[in-house]
Amino acid sequence: MLRLNPTFDTQKDVVASILAKEERANIGVLEPRILSVEKDGGVVYSWRGATGTTRIGKYDPHSTENKLLYTFDKQVCVSSCSLNKEETLLAVSLSQSTQGDGRLKPVSKCLTLLIEIHPINNTKVLKAVDCKVKVQVMKSCYVKLFLYPKTCRTTVLESHLLLAAEDGYVDQYHITLTRQEGYRVVMQNPERLSKERVAEDFIWVQWDSDTQRLFYLTAREKHTLKCVQFYPDRNFETVFELPLEMPSVSSVTSSVRFVNFGYDHYQDMKDEGLRLEVFTSQTGTMCVCYSHPVHWHKDATYTIAFVHRGCSKTFTVSLEKGSAPANLPTVHPIFIHLDYYIVVYLADHFLHLINCRQQDLLCYSLFLSGADGHIESLGLGREVVSVSGSRLLDVRAGTMYTMELNPDFLLELLSSGRPEAQRLAALHCMLVYLQPNPVIELKIINWISENVMSFDAFDQIQEFILATLYRISYQQCVSLDKLLPYSCVFEKKELPVALTAIPRVKCTPELLCQPIIKGKPKSLQGYWEELQLVLDRMRYFEAVPSPRFRTSLIKEDWDRFQAAMNSEKKKSPHCRRQIEENTKKVLSMVDTWRLDKRVVPLFQEEDQQQRVLVGLMVDKLREHLNRHLSRLGKKKIDLLVVNYAAKLLELVWHVLELMWQKLKLGPWVLCIKQQGSSEEWAMFHVMFRILEATKGLCLPLPPGYSTLLSVLGVRCLPQHTFLQYVDHGLLQLTEPFVSRLMTDLDNSDANEQLKFSILKRLPEHMEQKVSQQWDHPITSACISREYVKTLLEKHSENRDSALLDYGKSCSYPDFLPLNYLTKILWNREEQAQNPFEEQENVDVRFVEEMALKQTQIKLGFEVK
């Protein structure tokens, strides 16, 4: 499920460098120990030197080089270490240990040092206390000072150091440095370093180096999570507070816990309390994750508080009995942040991929157990911690990994036999959260074509369309998160049982207390501004009914428009100008510049029904967004809506293009004379399922889609089956399709029967127009009758026009009734505009010939 890519290994990246400088014989067993991972990605580590010394070095991942920072002339126990950005100061916290029984025994005495290392010079003792102390150097900043005389400029460097003590307080030290002799960097007034109290009375603290934030948990009256934001100008402020409903203090922790303050290899690893971590992202999400210690004979319990959603979910997982020896100590699940997901991993038991953006239903998260949930590099007994940037650090093994979701494994979860909740979660993950990948996209489309029938719990084609459009739109405007549909599941009246529960997993949702973001809205910047906007949107959407757009809103108006188009001779008398303008905007945005390279013939006809549906969808979606997102402005909303509809049409076209190329189809598909092949049948099946899926959501299709589908249908289906599809509204008799049918098929008995059956099913106005294209005696007779009827009805007969000009020639002088009718029509034709002027072959001569031919057929002189 998770793909781990090693980025650092002490044995490969460090040991060789050390051995190049020191003799192995004088070192013994070389075991570098990771102390911290700095903001720039550098790894600070220590090792025992050749002469009984303790050395501290740094690995630079960019240059892949190792640098010796400092050497203690004896063996010491380094419990915490940090380096400033300029690598001129080293802060070290040492555990004072005594020697006994050949092993180092940790004691409570702690010494914290501040060492000048550019070059190695003075050492300042910051703390000497009977509790553990953690140090963390914050980012440094340069300050330009203009000293007297004015012509002289001196650059002063200032570093800021956080010192966190197990007594429950955090201090910030401000260290001013100066440059001497051109290269020496030393502390100014090391005896009088200024400091400020940042936090106190906490039971848990976490440092986030990337964002310069300090989270800590207090438990005076009730548990409260607070966050201190540090700024480049030395200032800091408490900007966030969140009351949390947690277990009693005694069960939370027996001692202060430090997260991201380095890795103490000398502390007692026994862990009976509650573990907590906070994860944030720039999109305005915040997740507070905490877990209870897991005893192998009991269930595993962990809670994810979705601060940006105002709720929390507590998961209780039933562990398989007898899966681990009884003497194993209690352990905690590992929490890993993967942008849109929180990964909860308990080695040899389960992996839970929790969607932290769409947590409405369990089916959008992925729960795996057994072999599916096993990660080889993260076996039982490993001490693994999560590092910023989606990285994992195996502290004991000295290995660091970057993590990513494995798309190949997600594709395997789509296979038959998997629970439908897993298939939906895997499909949703690939479509919405993974970066667009043409290879993965093609594999998903191939999977859809091979599993084209809808599943019991969800329609995979509908899910593909809505999830893909959601991802594209969300990237353009994050405000659409709660307004656009992201799954077809919510269009169902009742949710299937298969999507509402996961075996062995119990979920208990709860509402969170309202977080407090301090400061005025206008003064908030960056992440806190985004989080405030997310919380404001969340409160608004909770107060209004049905904020998420449902495509079923289009259906009522669409049914009315469709009935009007089928009943009237005119194309769309009720189609408002606004809807037509909407359609024009959408079609102008569709990517048609490579039309010559496209193989599927779409967007080549008017297709009035689809044009109306496109315009109607734009109208309804625009109305919905204007109601809930008016602050964006009408122009922005109009652009988002038009782009949404255009991407829908492009997406369907793109799927057909890939399928067309996969099946190796060509332009011969459009020839109705030939019977369809198995490849064309497969294409028809896929297109028909796409039609069903979009019809169920009342979504438009590209103009020309119905014509192409009907062409494939008449080639692949038996005639009676084809006509049944038409009668049930599954296939549409479009004007281009019927015209092609009338001209391409000959007049064999079977084809005549098909043509007559189709003509009977056409609206009257289309039948009159299309029948003129079929060269057949019956259609010719119908054309003649209609011509005569229209010509005589259009102008009332008067006495003068009844007088015949016998000087005019007549082709059949012995057939007086026909001769008389012909004379009348000639006179009317001179007075009236030809009602069939677009058909040049319809005139009095044509009527005369057809009338004579029909008379001969009636009298039996000519066989039809």
Side-chain angles (χ1 to χ4, degrees):
M1 179 62 190
L2 288 181
R3 180 184 291 164
L4 302 184
N5 304 310
T7 59
F8 174 77
D9 189 333
T10 52
Q11 294 299 317
K12 295 180 180 179
D13 299 317
V14 174
V15 171
S17 176
I18 295 175
L19 293 178
K21 301 174 183 178
E22 301 188 52
E23 296 181 6
R24 180 186 291 271
N26 296 328
I27 297 178
V29 179
L30 184 57
E31 295 180 346
R33 293 178 172 179
I34 296 177
L35 300 176
S36 66
V37 179
E38 299 299 309
K39 182 180 179 181
D40 62 357
V43 181
V44 179
Y45 55 89
S46 68
W47 76 95
R48 295 182 183 180
T51 57
T53 59
T54 299
R55 303 194 175 190
I56 297 177
K58 179 187 177 183
Y59 172 78
D60 186 345
H62 306 291
S63 63
T64 66
E65 295 180 354
N66 289 274
K67 178 181 180 180
L68 177 63
L69 299 177
Y70 189 75
T71 301
F72 292 95
D73 57 7
K74 62 179 180 180
Q75 291 187 12
V76 294
C77 301
V78 182
S79 61
S80 179
C81 181
S82 188
L83 182 69
N84 69 342
K85 179 181 178 181
E86 296 74 26
E87 299 186 0
T88 57
L89 281 181
L90 185 67
V92 182
S93 183
L94 304 178
S95 295
Q96 302 295 315
S97 301
T98 57
Q99 191 80 17
D101 298 331
R103 291 180 295 177
L104 289 173
K105 294 183 179 180
V107 295
S108 60
K109 191 71 174 178
C110 184
L111 183 67
T112 302
L113 306 175
L114 188 58
I115 307 170
E116 297 171 352
I117 61 172
H118 190 75
I120 295 173
N121 196 28
N122 296 326
T123 299
K124 164 69 177 175
V125 177
L126 290 181
K127 286 285 181 181
V129 294
D130 288 331
C131 65
K132 293 179 182 178
V133 175
K134 299 289 183 177
V135 291
Q136 179 64 53
V137 176
M138 300 171 58
K139 62 183 179 183
S140 302
C141 59
Y142 288 94
V143 181
K144 295 282 187 179
L145 297 181
F146 296 91
L147 307 177
Y148 295 95
K150 294 183 179 180
T151 56
C152 178
R153 288 185 178 183
T154 305
T155 300
V156 178
L157 175 66
E158 189 176 61
S159 288
H160 310 288
L161 175 70
L162 284 184
L163 189 146
E166 199 173 27
D167 286 344
Y169 66 86
V170 175
D171 288 336
Q172 179 183 199
Y173 285 82
H174 304 287
I175 306 109
T176 303
L177 304 174
T178 185
R179 194 178 299 277
Q180 296 179 354
E181 302 176 10
Y183 71 99
R184 297 169 59 87
V185 178
V186 298
M187 291 181 283
Q188 282 187 348
N189 299 322
E191 302 303 323
R192 291 185 296 176
L193 298 179
S194 64
K195 67 176 181 178
E196 299 173 89
R197 180 59 51 92
V198 175
E200 56 188 0
D201 297 333
F202 59 77
I203 58 176
W204 169 92
V205 62
Q206 172 182 314
W207 171 247
D208 190 339
S209 62
D210 288 344
T211 58
Q212 300 288 283
R213 297 185 195 123
L214 184 77
F215 292 94
Y216 64 97
L217 185 69
T218 63
R220 293 173 182 171
E221 297 179 357
K222 62 184 303 184
H223 293 109
T224 303
L225 178 69
K226 299 183 179 182
C227 179
V228 178
Q229 178 70 64
F230 293 87
Y231 302 104
D233 59 358
R234 295 182 49 169
N235 292 326
F236 63 88
E237 62 176 334
T238 302
V239 294
F240 177 84
E241 291 186 7
L242 174 66
L244 289 174
E245 296 294 334
M246 300 179 71
S248 62
V249 176
S250 59
S251 64
V252 170
T253 179
S254 57
S255 60
V256 173
R257 300 184 182 278
F258 300 92
V259 178
N260 296 339
F261 276 87
Y263 317 105
D264 190 350
H265 295 263
Y266 300 97
Q267 68 177 346
D268 187 359
M269 297 307 298
K270 188 177 180 180
D271 191 359
E272 297 290 345
L274 182 142
R275 180 173 295 179
L276 187 148
E277 287 188 63
V278 178
F279 300 108
T280 62
S281 72
Q282 289 302 314
T283 56
T285 63
M286 177 185 289
C287 294
V288 182
C289 312
Y290 52 94
S291 65
H292 302 269
V294 177
H295 302 271
W296 295 110
H297 61 284
K298 297 183 179 180
D299 298 336
T301 303
Y302 48 93
T303 300
I304 312 295
F306 305 99
V307 179
H308 55 287
R309 295 298 189 193
C311 67
S312 68
K313 290 191 175 183
T314 298
F315 299 91
T316 303
V317 180
S318 177
L319 302 180
E320 297 178 358
K321 306 302 180 182
S323 57
N327 60 350
L328 279 178
T330 57
V331 295
H332 282 272
I334 303 170
F335 294 113
I336 307 168
H337 188 212
L338 284 179
D339 201 7
Y340 300 126
Y341 288 95
I342 298 294
V343 180
V344 184
Y345 177 68
L346 184 60
D348 296 344
H349 279 279
F350 66 83
L351 185 150
H352 197 176
L353 190 69
I354 300 175
N355 192 324
C356 56
R357 219 169 74 188
Q358 308 296 352
Q359 75 291 339
D360 307 300
L361 296 175
L362 293 178
C363 59
Y364 297 109
S365 300
L366 191 58
F367 183 84
L368 301 171
S369 59
D372 291 336
H374 178 70
I375 303 176
E376 186 65 31
S377 302
L378 305 179
L380 193 63
R382 298 290 186 97
E383 185 185 347
V384 180
V385 294
S386 182
V387 186
S388 62
S390 298
R391 291 176 294 174
L392 272 184
L393 178 63
D394 188 333
V395 178
R396 299 300 182 189
T399 307
M400 188 159 59
Y401 308 90
T402 57
M403 296 169 295
E404 60 182 354
L405 294 173
N406 187 351
D408 293 330
F409 182 81
L410 292 173
L411 285 168
E412 291 179 12
L413 294 179
L414 299 179
S415 59
S416 59
R418 293 281 185 173
E420 292 201 1
Q422 277 191 8
R423 302 172 93 175
L424 176 60
L427 180 62
H428 192 76
C429 177
M430 287 186 289
L431 293 175
V432 178
Y433 303 109
L434 294 186
Q435 292 298 322
N437 186 324
V439 176
I440 299 300
E441 182 185 55
L442 179 59
K443 290 181 179 180
I444 294 175
I445 293 174
N446 287 339
W447 169 75
I448 290 176
S449 67
E450 294 166 1
N451 301 269
V452 72
M453 298 306 296
S454 177
F455 299 147
D456 293 333
F458 70 99
D459 187 309
Q460 63 273 34
I461 297 178
Q462 291 181 346
E463 191 71 18
F464 175 81
I465 292 173
L466 292 181
T468 303
L469 291 176
Y470 174 83
R471 172 180 55 80
I472 295 173
S473 300
Y474 181 82
Q475 291 172 347
Q476 295 173 342
C477 180
V478 295
S479 300
L480 298 174
D481 181 29
K482 295 286 282 186
L483 292 174
L484 290 182
Y486 63 87
S487 175
C488 64
V489 173
F490 294 100
E491 295 291 335
K492 296 179 178 292
K493 294 182 179 179
E494 292 184 4
L495 292 176
V497 178
L499 302 182
T500 56
I502 299 177
R504 295 175 48 202
V505 180
K506 177 185 176 182
C507 178
T508 306
E510 292 183 359
L511 293 177
L512 287 176
C513 296
Q514 288 290 341
I516 301 173
I517 299 180
K518 299 184 177 181
K520 297 180 180 180
K522 292 183 179 179
S523 64
L524 296 175
Q525 296 179 355
Y527 170 77
W528 299 110
E529 179 184 18
E530 190 62 34
L531 178 60
Q532 183 67 67
L533 290 174
V534 170
L535 291 174
D536 291 342
R537 287 199 301 267
M538 181 263 297
R539 297 186 190 104
Y540 168 78
F541 291 133
E542 286 181 346
V544 298
S546 304
R548 197 173 297 281
F549 181 75
R550 290 179 178 267
T551 56
S552 55
L553 296 174
I554 311 171
K555 192 174 189 310
E556 183 178 347
D557 287 348
W558 168 236
D559 289 342
R560 187 173 66 252
F561 272 99
Q562 203 170 20
M565 286 187 292
N566 290 334
S567 62
E568 299 293 334
K569 289 187 177 182
K570 294 182 179 180
K571 288 187 176 181
S572 297
H574 296 88
C575 192
R576 300 190 303 269
R577 180 179 300 178
Q578 179 64 40
I579 290 181
E580 184 59 31
E581 288 299 319
N582 293 341
T583 306
K584 290 179 180 179
K585 290 180 182 179
V586 171
L587 296 180
S588 68
M589 291 188 68
V590 175
D591 180 16
T592 57
W593 66 276
R594 293 181 300 172
L595 193 60
D596 57 328
K597 296 183 180 179
R598 300 279 192 177
V599 293
V600 182
L602 298 178
F603 297 96
Q604 298 179 11
E605 61 181 78
E606 283 293 319
D607 203 341
Q608 190 62 34
Q609 283 199 356
Q610 294 304 322
R611 290 179 69 91
V612 171
L613 187 52
V614 169
L616 194 59
M617 187 189 80
V618 170
D619 207 49
K620 288 295 182 180
L621 184 54
R622 182 198 291 121
E623 178 185 338
H624 186 79
L625 296 187
N626 278 325
R627 185 183 307 120
H628 298 295
L629 278 181
S630 57
R631 62 181 181 82
L632 291 182
K634 292 185 177 181
K635 289 186 177 180
K636 175 69 173 178
I637 288 176
D638 190 65
L639 181 62
L640 290 172
V641 170
V642 170
N643 187 71
Y644 185 87
K647 292 301 179 184
L648 166 63
L649 301 182
E650 286 184 3
L651 179 63
V652 175
W653 197 4
H654 178 61
V655 171
L656 297 186
E657 288 280 322
L658 294 177
M659 283 299 302
W660 199 277
Q661 294 171 6
K662 175 187 175 183
L663 297 172
K664 298 180 180 179
L665 300 179
W668 61 84
V669 172
L670 301 178
C671 180
I672 299 181
K673 297 179 181 179
Q674 301 174 358
Q675 187 175 358
S677 62
S678 58
E679 290 80 9
E680 292 165 26
W681 165 253
M683 189 70 192
F684 170 76
H685 199 190
V686 172
M687 288 188 66
F688 183 73
R689 276 289 296 117
I690 293 176
L691 174 67
E692 277 188 328
T694 54
K695 193 173 182 179
L697 296 173
C698 207
L699 294 177
L701 289 166
Y705 190 98
S706 299
T707 297
L708 180 59
L709 181 60
S710 296
V711 169
L712 288 170
V714 80
R715 284 172 58 93
C716 299
L717 298 174
Q719 286 190 10
H720 66 280
T721 306
F722 174 80
L723 294 174
Q724 285 182 344
Y725 274 53
V726 172
D727 293 337
H728 286 83
L730 304 177
L731 291 178
Q732 195 175 5
L733 297 177
T734 64
E735 186 176 319
F737 164 71
V738 178
S739 299
R740 182 181 293 271
L741 188 80
M742 295 298 168
T743 56
D744 286 5
L745 293 183
D746 58 24
N747 289 336
S748 64
D749 292 341
N751 289 342
E752 276 193 3
Q753 183 179 358
L754 175 63
K755 290 180 180 181
F756 282 127
S757 299
I758 288 177
L759 287 175
K760 289 191 299 184
R761 289 167 168 82
L762 294 178
E764 184 180 354
H765 66 279
M766 186 188 295
E767 179 189 4
Q768 293 175 2
K769 186 174 182 180
V770 171
S771 60
Q772 300 176 37
Q773 303 177 27
W774 183 17
D775 184 13
H776 190 274
I778 294 181
T779 58
S780 299
C782 292
I783 294 172
S784 300
R785 293 192 194 98
E786 185 64 26
Y787 175 82
V788 173
K789 177 184 176 182
T790 304
L791 192 59
L792 294 179
E793 287 180 350
K794 206 162 190 180
H795 299 274
S796 60
E797 183 177 1
N798 54 52
R799 189 176 303 274
D800 296 334
S801 61
L803 298 176
L804 297 178
D805 183 5
Y806 289 98
K808 292 187 177 180
S809 61
C810 182
S811 303
Y812 309 100
D814 297 330
F815 195 179
L816 296 180
L818 180 59
N819 186 23
Y820 184 80
L821 176 62
T822 303
K823 295 298 182 180
I824 294 176
L825 293 180
W826 252 320
N827 287 343
R828 296 292 178 272
E829 197 176 56
E830 293 175 355
Q831 301 171 21
Q833 184 179 1
N834 188 350
F836 293 91
E837 59 182 354
E838 69 275 11
Q839 301 293 335
E840 296 180 357
N841 60 333
V842 180
D843 54 12
V844 175
R845 178 73 66 186
F846 177 81
V847 173
E848 186 179 12
E849 293 177 356
M850 288 303 104
L852 182 59
K853 190 167 187 176
Q854 290 297 315
T855 302
Q856 291 175 334
I857 293 175
K858 290 288 186 181
L859 296 176
F861 298 134
E862 183 174 322
V863 180
K864 168 179 168 291

